Amino acid sequence: MKNIKNSEKRNLWFERFMAILATVNLSLVLFDLSYVHWRDLYLQKLPQIVHIYDPIKGIEPHRETKKYLESLDALEEQVSQTGLQSPEVKNRLEEITRLSNEMIDTNPFAGANKSGTLEKIKNRMRDRIDNESAKQSFAIFWSQPYLTQKGWLQEINFFNQRIRPLIATNYYRRIGENGEYINNFWIIDSVFVILFALELLGRTFLIRRQHRGLSYLEALLWRWYDLLLLVPFLRWLRIIPVLVRLDQAKLLSLYPVRRQINQGIVANFAEELTEIVVVRVINQVQGSIKRGELIRWLSQQENVRSYIDINNVNEIEAIAGLLVKTVVYQVLPEIQPAIVAILRHNIETVIHQVPIYRNLQNLPGVGQAQTQLSEQLATQITTNLYKTLVSAVEDPVGAKLTTQLVQSFSDALKGQIKEKHLLGEIESLLSDFLEEIKLNYVQRLSQEDIEQIIEQTRQLRTQASLPAVLDKSTTIPGR
């Protein structure tokens, strides 16, 4: 027993380790899928991540915007060395103005789907200079008179804080020979894929050994969701095996999710399935009536489809016999006082209606004698009737005669129906009745609130499990 517990504990730790590993892989997959979209945020908050991961995604600085930022660095260095009014600074400003015009004309941001960033840069420069032309705004901004008038430090700080970070977000992403963007994430992912493949292979052999009737393919499909960890496309689907593994490792409970999914599936299909089943049953009954199987059944002909009997017992007769015995031996003795009271009341009512009794009622002792007589008559009638019923049940001859009476009644009824040609009319009425059921009651099934029915079912299940919980909670320890 202890070895079994240790084995289960080791298996649980292994499941948890593999579940955590699959979670790490899924996190890397989601990071890779969202990296380009969130790259600007990483560049602003965590530039180290951009420095490391850009080569994996085939991302490199764009030549035009890189040259622009390098020229800006050179301008700041030149101003610090020679001052703002020097000829060297003037040449640098003219070069940056030219690069600004080229940036507006060629739009190097389009390749990275960041044309909106260029528009944001142009709008901020227009607002700064208060000019509707973006090119004129850049030309005015990168001029010695403007920078002298407004102040070099103030304007260059504005540019470095409001414009330069936007320019720095631009990039160029290389394209492979297959026409797709380069993405070397498969190198990182292949380590996990190989590990998961080996694990799945081992699990397949283990399942095959535990279930000899399965083929290797069936054993592999036993854990079909693990195959999603191996495919190199649609990697986001790995969330399915990760959630399953976390649930199996008891690191995450998916019971509420499974219950909600099951409820949604039942709610979607219960209505249609119920209608299909009910309508099909009614159609089969209607078909049997139209094919004349009702006539053949009543006539007990030989060509009717054979009825399968599993115990050589006529269940209808057996049930009827049990009901008769229950009524005679169990029910009637319990209700006998009530029957006596009813009979006594009826006898007294009849006696009071007799004119002679009304004249004798004033005599002493007549009323008491009448009460005793009524009670004796009611008790005697009830007792005799009960004895008659018991005798009919226990007497073999009486039982046989009763069976013959029922059989004769059934044969006479069948014969009369057949002779009077009523069966055709009965079949027509039954068929119409079933059609009305389909049109009225089956439609009501679709109008019922399936969600409410499911909730009622869940409440019944909870109430049914409550006694077991109470029994466990009241168990005395040590017993």
Side-chain angles (χ1 to χ4, degrees), residues 276-289:
I276 291 173
V277 171
V278 174
V279 171
R280 185 174 181 181
V281 171
I282 293 176
N283 289 339
Q284 288 179 348
V285 175
Q286 286 180 316
S288 299
I289 294 174

Side-chain angles (χ1 to χ4, degrees), residues 84 93 141-152 155:
L84 182 60
L93 291 173
F141 186 88
W142 296 119
S143 63
Q144 287 178 326
Y146 176 80
L147 295 174
T148 301
Q149 178 184 359
K150 296 295 183 179
W152 161 255
E155 296 305 308

Side-chain angles (χ1 to χ4, degrees), residues 286 289 294 425-435:
Q286 286 180 316
I289 294 174
L294 180 61
E425 185 176 355
I426 293 175
E427 289 179 346
S428 177
L429 291 174
L430 284 176
S431 180
D432 294 341
F433 176 68
L434 292 173
E435 191 67 26

Side-chain angles (χ1 to χ4, degrees), residues 412-439:
L413 179 62
K414 293 177 184 178
Q416 290 297 321
I417 291 177
K418 186 174 181 180
E419 291 180 3
K420 299 295 183 179
H421 304 286
L422 297 177
L423 199 57
E425 185 176 355
I426 293 175
E427 289 179 346
S428 177
L429 291 174
L430 284 176
S431 180
D432 294 341
F433 176 68
L434 292 173
E435 191 67 26
E436 291 177 357
I437 291 178
K438 283 195 297 185
L439 295 176

Side-chain angles (χ1 to χ4, degrees), residues 295-319:
I295 299 177
R296 293 196 297 271
W297 177 73
L298 291 175
S299 302
Q300 295 183 349
Q301 295 180 359
E302 296 294 333
N303 57 353
V304 181
R305 181 183 297 178
S306 60
Y307 181 78
I308 300 175
D309 192 352
I310 62 176
N311 55 5
N312 295 324
V313 175
N314 190 327
E315 288 80 5
I316 303 299
E317 293 182 0
I319 292 173

Side-chain angles (χ1 to χ4, degrees), residues 2 58 61 181 300 314 362 455 461:
K2 185 177 181 180
Y181 287 120
Q300 295 183 349
N314 190 327
N362 297 324
E455 182 62 28
R461 192 179 300 123

Side-chain angles (χ1 to χ4, degrees), residues 297-461:
W297 177 73
L298 291 175
S299 302
Q300 295 183 349
Q301 295 180 359
E302 296 294 333
N303 57 353
V304 181
R305 181 183 297 178
S306 60
Y307 181 78
I308 300 175
D309 192 352
I310 62 176
N311 55 5
N312 295 324
V313 175
N314 190 327
E315 288 80 5
I316 303 299
E317 293 182 0
I319 292 173
L322 289 175
L323 291 176
V324 169
K325 291 180 179 180
T326 301
V327 170
V328 172
Y329 292 112
Q330 304 294 333
V331 177
L332 288 180
E334 293 185 6
I335 66 174
Q336 186 173 357
I339 297 176
V340 171
I342 294 174
L343 290 175
R344 185 179 62 188
H345 172 73
N346 290 328
I347 292 173
E348 291 177 352
T349 302
V350 172
I351 291 176
H352 281 92
Q353 292 176 356
V354 177
I356 298 177
Y357 174 77
R358 288 198 298 268
N359 297 327
L360 297 176
Q361 192 174 7
N362 297 324
L363 296 177
V366 174
Q368 183 178 2
Q370 178 266 327
T371 302
Q372 294 176 355
L373 178 62
S374 300
E375 186 172 356
Q376 290 177 0
L377 287 174
T379 303
Q380 190 67 29
I381 292 173
T382 305
T383 303
N384 293 336
L385 179 62
Y386 179 71
K387 289 181 179 180
T388 302
L389 291 176
V390 172
S391 299
V393 172
E394 294 180 350
D395 184 14
V397 178
K400 183 177 180 180
L401 292 175
T402 302
T403 303
Q404 292 177 355
L405 175 62
V406 173
Q407 185 66 35
S408 300
F409 174 79
S410 177
D411 294 340
L413 179 62
K414 293 177 184 178
Q416 290 297 321
I417 291 177
K418 186 174 181 180
E419 291 180 3
K420 299 295 183 179
H421 304 286
L422 297 177
L423 199 57
E425 185 176 355
I426 293 175
E427 289 179 346
S428 177
L429 291 174
L430 284 176
S431 180
D432 294 341
F433 176 68
L434 292 173
E435 191 67 26
E436 291 177 357
I437 291 178
K438 283 195 297 185
L439 295 176
N440 293 278
Y441 296 99
V442 177
Q443 183 179 4
R444 293 181 184 178
L445 292 175
S446 63
Q447 295 175 351
E448 290 193 21
D449 189 356
I450 299 298
E451 297 286 344
Q452 184 178 0
I453 296 175
I454 295 174
E455 182 62 28
Q456 293 174 356
T457 305
R458 185 184 299 115
Q459 292 177 359
L460 291 175
R461 192 179 300 123

